[in-house]
C-alpha cells in the first residue's frame, strides 16, 4: 500500500508539473479542495466530456442533451429533499477547533484496525515464505479474526446509528473507541450535528428582498425541471433520456485525495424516463452499458467493479456504483440509480404542474420512472491519469515517465519536430502542422535533442511524434513514433492524418 501511496503522490506532482491540474488560486496558497485545470488538463477533461457526450447523446437517438443553469429556484431543493436531508454528520474538537465528519473519524479508526490485519499478514508471509497461504491465514488466525470481529461490530453500530439519525450514539461510539483529534490529540468533542452540504448565496439587488439560493449540488435537478419542456419541444416518446454535463458544488468537510472529492466539480448525468414497471429492465441495461463505456477506453476490466447498494435511499428501488481501483483503493466513480417517480412526483407536488407522460397506446397518463447514470468528470480524469502514469526502465538503461492516456482522450494527439532548425526543416514542420491542426491538437517542438523532446511528449501522453529530417525534404516522408511501443516507421506525409485517425477509432 505504501507503494501505491507513493505513486499517488507522484501522480499529483506530475499533474502539476506538466500543466494538468493546479491548486486553485495558488499564489494565495490555494483554496482547499478546489482545483484549476491547466493547458493539458483542460484538453483531457474536454476530451472525456466529449467521449461521454458522444456515447450518450450522439449515439442514442432517444437521448438529447441540455445545459441548465447552475442557479435554480430555491423550491427545487426543497422538493428534491436536499434542504432537509443532504447532510453530513459533523463533530468539532474543542481544543483544536477542527471540524470532522463523525463517520469518517470512525472509518479512519476502522482503517487502522485493517492496517493491523495487513501487518499480521505481512509478518506471517515472511515467516512462512513460499508455504504461506493468505486465504487460510486470514480465515483462521485468532488475532486476525478478533480484528475482523471488531471491525464488524463497529461498522454495524455506526451505520445503524446513522440510519436512525441517532447522533448521540455516534458521539458515544467515538468516545468508546477513544478516538483522538489528530491535531490536538485530545478527546474533547462537541456533540455530533447534521451539516447541510449545499452552498448558499443571495440573489436580488437589496438585502431585504434577497432570496437565498443554492449552488446546485447535482446537475440532475436541472433535467427534472426541464422534463416537460424537452418532452414537448423534442416530441420525445418514452423511453427517452436527457443528458447534461456541468458544475456541481458541495461543501465537503472531508475534502482529500486530490480531485477525488472536491467542493466544486463537474458531473455528467443522464436521466432515462421509462414506463413504471419497466425500470428494473432499464436499470440492468444502463448498468451494463455504462460498464461497456468504461471498458471501451481500453483500461483493463480488473480495474473496475460493481458495488450493488444494499441500503437504498428513500427514493431508490435499486442502486449500484461502478468502482475504480484508484491508487488509494477501489472507490466510487459512477452511480447508476433507479430513482422511481420520486423526483418528478415531488416537483409535481411542489410546483403544482402536471409532470406526466400521455401514452397514446394505452390512453393513460403517468409520472415516468427514472433510471439515472451519474459520473464525476474530475473523478474520471483522476482514474484515467492514475492509470496512465507509468515509470518505465528502457532497454538502454534509461528511464522514462509516460502517460499512457487512451489515445482518443490524449490532450495533444501529435507533436511535430524538425530534427534541426535550419535548411528549411522548421518551415516544413510548420507546413505539416498547418494541415494536421485542422483535425487534431498538435504541438510544434524544436528545442533540445530529439530524445528529450520525445520524453516531454511521453510525459504529457502524446500518442504520436513526427520527425522532419533531411530525407523529408527529398522524398516527403517522415518518421512517426508511437508513444507506448516507441516504435518508429517511415511514412509519406499524406498518410499521417489517416494513420492517426485509425488509431483514434474506438
Ligand atoms: N444525481 C446523483 C448524484 O449526484 P452522487 O453519487 O452524489 O449522485 C455522482 O454523485 C457522481 O459525482 C459520483 O459518483 C462522483 O463521481 C461524483 N462526485 C460526487 N461528489 C463529488 C465530489 N465532492 N468531488 C468530485 N466528484 C464528486
Amino acid at each position: 500500500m505504501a507503494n501505491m501511496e507513493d505513486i499517488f503522490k507522484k501522480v499529483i506532482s506530475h499533474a502539476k508539473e506538466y500543466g494538468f491540474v493546479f491548486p486553485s488560486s495558488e499564489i494565495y496558497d490555494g483554496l482547499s479542495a478546489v482545483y484549476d485545470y491547466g493547458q493539458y488538463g483542460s484538453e483531457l477533461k474536454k476530451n472525456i466530456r466529449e467521449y461521454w457526450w458522444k456515447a450518450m447523446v450522439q449515439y442514442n437517438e432517444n437521448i438529447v442533451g441540455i445545459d441548465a443553469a447552475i442557479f435554480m429556484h430555491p423550491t427545487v431543493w426543497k422538493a428534491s429533499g436536499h434542504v432537509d436531508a443532504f447532510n453530513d454528520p459533523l463533530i468539532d474538537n474543542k481544543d483544536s477547533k477542527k471540524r470532522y465528519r463523525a463517520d469518517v473519524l470512525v472509518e479512519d479508526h476502522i482503517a487502522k484496525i485493517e492496517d493491523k490485519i495487513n501487518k499480521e499478514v505481512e509478518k506471517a508471509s515472511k515467516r512462512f515464505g513460499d508455504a504461506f497461504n493468505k486465504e487460510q491465514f486470514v480465515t483462521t488466525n485468532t488475532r486476525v479474526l478478533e480484528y475482523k470481529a471488531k471491525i464488524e461490530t463497529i461498522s454495524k453500530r455506526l451505520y445503524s446509528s446513522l440510519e436512525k439519525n441517532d447522533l448521540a450514539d455516534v458521539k458515544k461510539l467515538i468516545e468508546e473507541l477513544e478516538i483522538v483529534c489528530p491535531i490536538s490529540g485530545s478527546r474533547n468533542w462537541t456533540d455530533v450535528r447534521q451539516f447541510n452540504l449545499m452552498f448558499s448565496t443571495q440573489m436580488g439587488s437589496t438585502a431585504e428582498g434577497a432570496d437565498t439560493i443554492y449552488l446546485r449540488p447535482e446537475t440532475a435537478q436541472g433535467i427534472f425541471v426541464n422534463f416537460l419542456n424537452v418532452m414537448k419541444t423534442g416530441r420525445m416518446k418514452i423511453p427517452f433520456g436527457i443528458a447534461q454535463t456541468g458544475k456541481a458544488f458541495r461543501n465537503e468537510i472531508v475534502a482529500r485525495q486530490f480531485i477525488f472529492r472536491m467542493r466544486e466539480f463537474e458531473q455528467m448525468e443522464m436521466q432515462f424516463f421509462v414506463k413504471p414497471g419497466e425500470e428494473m429492465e432499464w436499470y440492468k441495461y444502463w448498468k451494463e452499458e455504462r460498464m461497456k463505456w468504461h471498458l471501451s477506453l481500453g483500461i483493463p476490466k480488473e480495474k473496475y467493479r460493481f458495488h450493488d447498494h444494499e441500503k437504498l435511499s428513500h427514493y431508490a428501488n435499486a442502486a449500484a456504483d461502478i468502482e475504480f481501483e484508484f491508487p488509494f483503493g477501489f472507490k466510487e466513480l459512477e452511480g447508476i440509480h433507479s430513482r422511481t417517480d420520486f423526483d418528478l412526483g415531488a416537483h409535481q407536488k411542489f410546483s403544482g404542474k402536471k409532470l406526466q407522460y400521455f401514452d397514446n397506446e394505452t390512453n393513460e397518463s403517468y409520472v415516468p420512472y427514472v433510471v439515472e447514470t451519474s459520473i464525476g468528470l474530475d473523478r474520471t480524469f483522476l482514474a484515467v491519469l492514475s492509470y496512465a502514469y507509468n515509470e518505465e526502465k528502457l532497454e538502454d538503461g534509461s528511464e522514462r515517465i509516460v502517460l499512457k492516456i487512451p489515445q482518443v482522450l490524449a490532450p495533444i494527439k501529435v507533436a511535430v519536430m524538425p530534427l534541426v532548425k535550419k535548411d528549411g526543416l522548421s518551415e516544413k514542420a510548420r507546413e505539416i502542422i498547418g494541415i494536421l491542426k485542422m483535425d487534431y491538437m498538435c504541438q510544434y517542438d524544436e528545442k533540445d535533442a530529439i530524445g528529450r523532446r520525445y520524453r516531454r511528449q511521453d510525459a504529457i501522453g502524446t500518442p504520436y511524434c513526427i520527425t522532419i529530417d533531411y530525407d523529408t525534404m527529398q522524398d516527403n516522408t517522415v518518421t512517426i513514433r508511437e508513444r507506448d511501443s516507441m516504435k518508429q516507421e517511415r511514412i509519406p506525409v499524406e498518410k499521417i492524418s489517416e494513420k492517426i485517425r485509425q488509431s483514434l477509432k474506438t
Side-chain angles (χ1 to χ4, degrees):
M1 199 62 198
N3 190 26
M4 291 308 275
E5 270 168 30
D6 212 32
I7 288 180
F8 188 39
K9 278 189 195 142
K10 287 182 183 177
V11 169
I12 296 171
S13 64
H14 189 87
K16 182 168 175 227
E17 193 182 334
Y18 284 90
F20 282 83
V21 183
F22 306 126
S24 159
S25 351
E26 199 188 3
I27 56 169
Y28 293 101
D29 294 334
L31 183 65
S32 168
V34 185
Y35 290 90
D36 297 339
Y37 287 86
Q39 63 276 27
Y40 300 124
S42 57
E43 285 295 328
L44 173 55
K45 203 173 161 202
K46 184 195 72 189
N47 293 344
I48 298 172
R49 194 189 295 113
E50 277 179 12
Y51 192 71
W52 181 88
W53 191 267
K54 269 194 181 161
M56 302 303 277
V57 181
Q58 190 173 327
Y59 298 166
N60 286 294
E61 246 178 65
N62 59 350
I63 300 181
V64 293
I66 63 163
D67 184 9
I70 288 171
F71 291 146
M72 300 181 76
H73 192 284
T75 313
V76 166
W77 306 110
K78 192 77 194 148
S80 68
H82 285 81
V83 171
D84 297 320
F86 195 49
N87 299 322
D88 272 347
L90 295 190
I91 190 165
D92 291 12
N93 182 270
K94 291 182 193 163
D95 298 318
S96 68
K97 310 267 183 277
K98 274 290 284 182
R99 181 165 288 178
Y100 299 93
R101 249 175 73 176
D103 53 335
V104 173
L105 280 181
V106 178
E107 278 162 3
D108 284 350
H109 182 85
I110 291 174
K112 281 187 191 145
I113 306 177
E114 277 164 353
D115 274 352
K116 287 184 185 165
I117 296 180
N118 291 338
K119 282 207 181 101
E120 291 294 334
V121 172
E122 227 172 84
K123 263 197 310 195
S125 130
K126 273 192 196 138
R127 197 165 354 119
F128 295 115
D130 285 347
F132 181 62
N133 179 336
K134 184 176 168 192
E135 187 54 34
Q136 192 187 355
F137 180 77
V138 294
T139 46
T140 52
N141 179 273
T142 13
R143 207 166 297 161
V144 170
L145 292 178
E146 269 171 32
Y147 287 141
K148 278 189 172 174
K150 228 186 215 172
I151 291 175
E152 169 108 14
T153 316
I154 298 171
S155 311
K156 260 199 185 146
R157 169 126 168 243
L158 173 68
Y159 298 119
S160 106
S161 303
L162 285 174
E163 202 159 281
K164 288 184 283 187
N165 205 20
D166 185 353
L167 300 181
D169 192 57
V170 177
K171 180 179 181 189
K172 221 163 130 210
L173 180 62
I174 288 173
E175 286 170 342
E176 282 170 23
L177 296 173
E178 302 185 350
I179 294 176
V180 297
C181 165
I183 297 191
S184 66
S186 87
R187 282 189 243 146
N188 195 5
W189 296 110
T190 62
D191 287 342
V192 178
R193 301 172 321 298
Q194 291 291 10
F195 175 89
N196 195 285
L197 292 180
M198 283 195 294
F199 285 103
S200 63
T201 186
Q202 304 294 315
M203 185 179 265
S205 48
T206 57
E208 305 90 67
D211 267 331
T212 295
I213 56 163
Y214 300 98
L215 298 189
R216 64 182 179 198
E218 61 171 12
T219 57
Q221 298 304 324
I223 291 178
F224 291 125
V225 299
N226 278 296
F227 162 74
L228 265 192
N229 285 337
V230 175
M231 184 178 70
K232 282 188 188 158
T233 58
R235 291 176 290 116
M236 308 304 288
K237 293 266 169 291
I238 274 185
F240 73 90
I242 307 178
Q244 83 166 320
T245 69
K247 289 277 176 130
F249 305 83
R250 296 182 188 178
N251 197 359
E252 302 279 2
I253 291 303
V254 181
R256 55 184 180 190
Q257 288 160 332
F258 192 37
I259 55 171
F260 181 80
R261 196 176 299 286
M262 303 157 89
R263 296 206 164 104
E264 174 179 340
F265 57 101
E266 195 164 334
Q267 288 185 316
M268 307 190 286
E269 298 199 295
M270 192 276 298
Q271 323 298 132
F272 201 69
F273 300 92
V274 305
K275 193 171 175 175
E278 293 182 357
E279 71 278 11
M280 288 320 279
E281 193 186 308
W282 285 110
Y283 168 72
K284 281 195 200 109
Y285 172 83
W286 281 112
K287 255 180 85 173
E288 295 311 318
E289 278 301 296
R290 292 304 306 145
M291 185 57 105
K292 276 191 219 155
W293 180 85
H294 288 280
L295 298 178
S296 72
L297 286 171
I299 298 176
K301 66 176 187 311
E302 295 71 37
K303 300 288 283 180
Y304 298 91
R305 69 181 187 198
F306 282 115
H307 169 237
D308 293 312
H309 290 203
E310 275 165 29
K311 284 193 211 98
L312 296 169
S313 313
H314 55 287
Y315 55 77
N317 62 3
D321 296 335
I322 293 178
E323 294 186 337
F324 181 80
E325 192 180 19
F326 290 96
F328 39 86
F330 271 99
K331 291 273 174 315
E332 176 187 343
L333 177 58
E334 169 158 14
I336 295 107
H337 314 122
S338 172
R339 294 180 72 127
T340 67
D341 58 356
F342 174 82
D343 302 270
L344 287 182
H347 287 305
Q348 185 168 256
K349 191 171 132 214
F350 278 79
S351 68
K353 306 275 179 347
K354 241 181 165 188
L355 299 180
Q356 299 189 358
Y357 175 77
F358 180 72
D359 189 331
N360 280 323
E361 278 168 25
T362 59
N363 264 346
E364 55 177 10
S365 292
Y366 56 81
V367 177
Y369 270 37
V370 169
V371 174
E372 146 183 280
T373 71
S374 175
I375 176 169
L377 176 49
D378 314 83
R379 251 180 225 190
T380 311
F381 184 110
L382 182 59
V384 168
L385 192 69
S386 53
Y387 166 74
Y389 182 89
N390 276 276
E391 292 173 354
E392 286 183 351
K393 259 215 148 52
L394 305 181
E395 272 172 16
D396 64 3
S398 64
E399 285 179 14
R400 72 162 181 166
I401 292 175
V402 53
L403 291 188
K404 295 186 173 174
I405 298 174
Q407 302 202 351
V408 65
L409 303 182
I412 304 290
K413 299 287 188 264
V414 53
V416 182
M417 311 166 165
L419 194 63
V420 290
K421 290 182 218 167
K422 52 186 186 175
D423 301 330
L425 269 61
S426 304
E427 289 74 10
K428 183 72 186 168
R430 294 256 183 230
E431 185 191 312
I432 293 174
I433 284 211
I435 300 166
L436 294 178
K437 76 177 180 193
M438 296 301 162
D439 295 315
Y440 310 112
M441 280 300 291
C442 301
Q443 196 167 77
Y444 175 81
D445 192 359
E446 61 176 22
K447 199 167 175 290
D448 300 321
I450 206 81
R452 286 189 69 176
R453 286 186 252 172
Y454 284 157
R455 286 298 98 82
R456 274 204 292 271
Q457 295 302 327
D458 287 344
I460 60 167
T462 306
Y464 291 105
C465 290
I466 285 166
T467 312
I468 315 300
D469 56 22
Y470 285 102
D471 286 345
T472 314
M473 309 306 279
Q474 301 299 321
D475 61 7
N476 213 31
T477 63
V478 294
T479 302
I480 184 162
R481 172 203 185 254
E482 198 274 328
R483 178 193 69 198
D484 298 352
S485 64
M486 294 185 288
K487 283 213 176 94
Q488 303 189 7
E489 62 174 313
R490 198 87 201 166
I491 60 168
V493 168
E494 323 73 82
K495 294 257 168 78
I496 303 174
S497 198
E498 185 50 28
K499 180 157 180 77
I500 301 171
R501 183 166 301 115
Q502 284 301 330
S503 77
L504 297 180
K505 274 195 184 148
T506 49

